[in-house]
C-alpha cells in the first residue's frame, strides 16, 4: 500500500506543478516550461517539447579567467516559479570528445539542481553560471524536456581544448624550464581557466621575487589545437633619460622649459648597469642609484617611470638635484719660517660637468712662494675598464727629522744625541735639529 501511494504521488506532483505553472506563465531562459502554451521565438528549438535555456555567459576569455556573471536584478515571480526535476544530465555537443568522469562529477556536485527537487528559471541560470565558473568550458546551456516523472534538465557543456604545449612571447627572463615547472602538470588535460589563472599568478610572482617588478602577463592565447601562448610584458627599458630638478622638485622652470644642469648626462648614465633593451629590475636600479649618489655631485637622486612608445616598454628618467661642487677660501698668518704669509685655496669637484676634480692651493710668504696644483679624472671618457688619471704640480716645504751628532760622544747631564741614519732611538736620546728642505716637481699620469 505504501508503494502504490509513492508511485501515485510521484506521478501526481508533475501534473499539479505543471498546472500551477501554466497559471502563472513561468518561463525558463525565455522559453515556456513544460505544461505551457508557447510562442516560438526566432531562435527557439525546432522541437517545442524540449525548450532550451540559453546561457548568458560570453565565450571564454582565457586572458582573465572565468568571467563572473553580472549582478542580476531581483528574480521576478516567473523566475521563482518552480517545477519538479526528474532527471539531470551533463552532455557535450555532437562530435566532441566525451567528458572525463571526474569533471562530470565535479559539475554534478557544483550545481544545485538535483533529481527529485524543484527548480526554477533563476536556479537554472545560477547553475549555468556555476558550471561555467568551474573553468573547463567555453559554453554552457540548458535543455529542458517533460517526462513522466518530472522535468529532464540537460546541461550541454562545450569543453575547452586539451592543452598540448606552452609557448611564450616577449620573454627573456622566463625560461622554458620555468614554464614547464609552472604549467607542466596541466599539459594533457582539458584547459581549465582557473588553473591557468593560478599559473599566471605564479609567473608574475616569479618575476616579482627576482626584482622584475614591472613584468605582467597581458594575454594567454589558447588555440583549438591545444597550443597555449603566454604573452608577457616584462617591462623592457626603451630609453633612459636624465632630468635636473630644482629646489621644488620640478624638472621645468617658470618658462616651461626643462632645467639645464651643469653635469653632463653621460656622467650619470655611465654609472647605470641597466641599459636600453634590458628588463627593468628593482634591485639593479637601487644599486645604480647608490652609485650615482656616491659621485658626490647631487643632493638627491630618484627615479621616474613613464610608458614608452610601445605600451609594453618603459622610459626610465633619473631625476637629480645638483649640489654646489666648488669652494674658495682665503687665509693668512705669520710663521717663524716664512714670516707673514697669505693662502688661497680653490677647489672644483665637477670641472666642466665631467666629474673631474681640480684643486689649487697657493701660499705666498715674505721669503717664499709655495703652491700645489692637482687634477683628477676618475673615469677617462668611456673607457670600459674605468681607467682614472691624476696629475700634480707643486712646490712644497717639507721638514726632515734626522738624528745627527757629528761627535757621537756621550754627554753628562744632557740627553744623548744620535745622528747616524738608521740607528735605533733609545731612552734619553735627543732629536737633532731638523734641517728644512724644499721640494718641487711634477707628478702625472697616475693610472
Amino acid at each position: 500500500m505504501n508503494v502504490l501511494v509513492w508511485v501515485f504521488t510521484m506521478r501526481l506532483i508533475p501534473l499539479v506543478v505543471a498546472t500551477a505553472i501554466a497559471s502563472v506563465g513561468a518561463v525558463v531562459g525565455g522559453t515556456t516550461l513544460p505544461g505551457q502554451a508557447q510562442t516560438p521565438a526566432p531562435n527557439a528549438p525546432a522541437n517545442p517539447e524540449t525548450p532550451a535555456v540559453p546561457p548568458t555567459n560570453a565565450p571564454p576569455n582565457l586572458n582573465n579567467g572565468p568571467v563572473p556573471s553580472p549582478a542580476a536584478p531581483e528574480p521576478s515571480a516567473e523566475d521563482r516559479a518552480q517545477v519538479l526535476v526528474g532527471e539531470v544530465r551533463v552532455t557535450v555537443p555532437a562530435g566532441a570528445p566525451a567528458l572525463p568522469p571526474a569533471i562530470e562529477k565535479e559539475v554534478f556536485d557544483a550545481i544545485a539542481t538535483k533529481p527529485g527537487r524543484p527548480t526554477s528559471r533563476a536556479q537554472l541560470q545560477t547553475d549555468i553560471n556555476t558550471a561555467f565558473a568551474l573553468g573547463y568550458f567555453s559554453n554552457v546551456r540548458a535543455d529542458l524536456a517533460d517526462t513522466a516523472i518530472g522535468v529532464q534538465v540537460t546541461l550541454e557543456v562545450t569543453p575547452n581544448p586539451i592543452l598540448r604545449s606552452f609557448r611564450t612571447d616577449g620573454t627573456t627572463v622566463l625560461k622554458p624550464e620555468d614554464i614547464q615547472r609552472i604549467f607542466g602538470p596541466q599539459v594533457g588535460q582539458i584547459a581549465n581557466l582557473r588553473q591557468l589563472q593560478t599559473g599566471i599568478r605564479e609567473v608574475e610572482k616569479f618575476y616579482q621575487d627576482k626584482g622584475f617588478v614591472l613584468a605582467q602577463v597581458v594575454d594567454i592565447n589558447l588555440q583549438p589545437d591545444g597550443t597555449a601562448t603566454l604573452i608577457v610584458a616584462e617591462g623592457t627599458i626603451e630609453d633612459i633619460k636624465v632630468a635636473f630638478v630644482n629646489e621644488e622638485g620640478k624638472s621645468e622652470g617658470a618658462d616651461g622649459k626643462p632645467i639645464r644642469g651643469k653635469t653632463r648626462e653621460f656622467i650619470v648614465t655611465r654609472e647605470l648597469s641597466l641599459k636600453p633593451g634590458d628588463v627593468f629590475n628593482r634591485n639593479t636600479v637601487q644599486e645604480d642609484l647608490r652609485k650615482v649618489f656616491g659621485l658626490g655631485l647631487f643632493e638627491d637622486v630618484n627615479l621616474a617611470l613613464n610608458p614608452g612608445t610601445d605600451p609594453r616598454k618603459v622610459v626610465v628618467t633619473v631625476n637629480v638635484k645638483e649640489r654646489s661642487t666648488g669652494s674658495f677660501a682665503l687665509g693668512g698668518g705669520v710663521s717663524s719660517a716664512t714670516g707673514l704669509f697669505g693662502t688661497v685655496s680653490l677647489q672644483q669637484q665637477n670641472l666642466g660637468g665631467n666629474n673631474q676634480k681640480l684643486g689649487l692651493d697657493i701660499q705666498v710668504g715674505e721669503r717664499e712662494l709655495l703652491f700645489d696644483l692637482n687634477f683628477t679624472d676618475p673615469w677617462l671618457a668611456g673607457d670600459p675598464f674605468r681607467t682614472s688619471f691624476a696629475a700634480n704640480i707643486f712646490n712644497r716645504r717639507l721638514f726632515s727629522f734626522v738624528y745627527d751628532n757629528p761627535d757621537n760622544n756621550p754627554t753628562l747631564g744632557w740627553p744623548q744625541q744620535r745622528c747616524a741614519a738608521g740607528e735605533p732611538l733609545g731612552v734619553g736620546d735627543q732629536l737633532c735639529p731638523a734641517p728644512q728642505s724644499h721640494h718641487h716637481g711634477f707628478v702625472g699620469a697616475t693610472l
Side-chain angles (χ1 to χ4, degrees):
M1 182 63 179
N2 291 337
V3 174
L4 292 177
V5 172
W6 178 82
V7 172
F8 177 78
T9 303
M10 287 297 294
R11 293 183 176 275
L12 179 61
I13 289 178
L15 178 62
V16 175
V17 173
T19 305
I21 292 176
S23 64
V24 297
V27 178
V28 178
T31 60
T32 308
L33 286 173
Q36 292 181 253
Q38 170 178 312
T39 302
N43 298 322
N47 184 2
E49 295 295 327
T50 58
V53 180
T56 59
N57 49 274
N61 183 345
L62 293 180
N63 308 342
N64 301 312
V67 180
S69 301
E74 186 69 22
S76 63
E78 294 180 352
D79 295 338
R80 292 193 299 268
Q82 296 183 333
V83 294
L84 186 67
V85 177
E87 182 182 6
V88 179
R89 301 171 59 234
V90 177
T91 64
V92 297
L99 204 62
I103 297 180
E104 184 175 348
K105 180 179 183 300
E106 192 171 345
V107 174
F108 279 121
D109 292 341
I111 61 177
T113 299
K114 307 291 183 184
R117 298 180 183 178
T119 190
S120 64
R121 177 183 185 277
Q123 182 59 62
L124 286 176
Q125 187 58 64
T126 300
D127 288 342
I128 289 173
N129 295 336
T130 300
F132 181 71
L134 293 176
Y136 295 105
F137 313 117
S138 61
N139 193 28
V140 181
R141 63 189 301 269
D143 290 332
L144 307 177
D146 195 7
T147 67
I149 59 173
V151 175
Q152 182 189 70
V153 179
T154 301
L155 286 180
E156 185 181 276
V157 296
T158 304
N160 294 323
I162 295 177
L163 285 175
R164 303 298 182 186
S165 63
F166 264 93
R167 298 185 303 181
T168 60
D169 181 17
T171 60
T172 57
V173 176
L174 193 66
K175 304 301 180 184
E177 53 269 26
D178 300 317
I179 290 292
Q180 176 62 28
R181 175 179 57 82
I182 295 173
F183 293 101
Q186 301 183 36
V187 176
Q189 309 294 326
I190 292 178
N192 184 288
L193 307 185
R194 297 174 63 181
Q195 293 175 5
L196 287 175
Q197 280 296 312
T198 300
I200 288 173
R201 286 192 292 270
E202 189 171 348
V203 167
E204 293 180 340
K205 183 178 184 298
F206 166 84
Y207 277 99
Q208 294 287 327
D209 291 344
K210 292 184 176 293
F212 301 100
V213 294
L214 300 183
Q216 59 178 338
V217 179
V218 297
D219 196 6
I220 180 168
N221 184 13
L222 180 61
Q223 299 295 329
D225 64 358
T227 300
T229 302
L230 198 67
I231 302 175
V232 182
E234 292 188 315
T236 303
I237 299 175
E238 181 178 284
D239 193 13
I240 297 178
K241 299 180 179 180
V242 178
F244 298 90
V245 298
N246 55 20
E247 294 293 335
E248 291 76 27
K250 297 180 180 179
S251 60
E252 295 181 351
D255 56 359
K257 296 181 179 180
I259 296 175
R260 299 184 61 181
K262 296 179 297 183
T263 306
R264 299 176 66 180
E265 292 187 6
F266 84 92
I267 297 297
V268 175
T269 56
R270 72 182 181 181
E271 297 290 338
L272 305 179
S273 301
L274 287 177
K275 306 296 181 184
D278 293 345
V279 179
F280 182 90
N281 186 284
R282 175 186 55 198
N283 302 330
T284 305
V285 165
Q286 289 176 344
E287 181 61 29
D288 287 347
L289 292 181
R290 280 193 289 267
K291 290 191 294 184
V292 173
F293 188 78
L295 294 175
L297 306 179
F298 310 109
E299 290 185 7
D300 187 32
V301 180
N302 59 70
L303 208 66
L305 303 177
N306 298 289
T309 54
D310 184 342
R312 294 186 295 180
K313 296 184 178 181
V314 63
V315 175
V316 177
T317 302
V318 182
N319 296 313
V320 294
K321 180 182 177 183
E322 291 184 305
R323 59 184 290 269
S324 176
T325 57
S327 63
F328 177 76
L330 293 174
V334 61
S335 168
S336 60
T338 62
L340 292 175
F341 66 90
T343 61
V344 177
S345 177
L346 177 65
Q347 305 291 328
Q348 176 54 254
Q349 305 296 318
N350 191 19
L351 183 65
N354 294 313
N355 191 33
Q356 297 170 340
K357 298 171 176 58
L358 178 66
L360 175 61
D361 295 297
I362 300 176
Q363 178 176 318
V364 180
E366 294 179 333
R367 304 184 181 93
E368 59 189 359
L369 171 64
L370 305 177
F371 63 87
D372 188 344
L373 176 64
N374 57 83
F375 172 81
T376 302
D377 188 343
W379 189 344
L380 285 177
D383 180 72
F385 302 103
R386 299 181 70 111
T387 304
S388 62
F389 172 82
N392 192 214
I393 301 176
F394 58 87
N395 181 36
R396 302 171 181 164
R397 174 186 293 273
L398 300 178
F399 294 91
S400 175
F401 295 94
V402 178
Y403 305 106
D404 189 16
N405 184 358
D407 299 329
N408 198 23
N409 294 320
T411 58
L412 297 176
W414 295 97
Q416 181 179 356
Q417 295 180 325
R418 290 184 181 270
C419 60
E423 291 186 7
L425 181 65
V427 177
D429 290 350
Q430 180 180 2
L431 287 176
C432 299
Q436 301 176 359
S437 63
H438 290 81
H439 293 266
H440 54 82
F442 170 79
V443 177
T446 303
L447 300 179

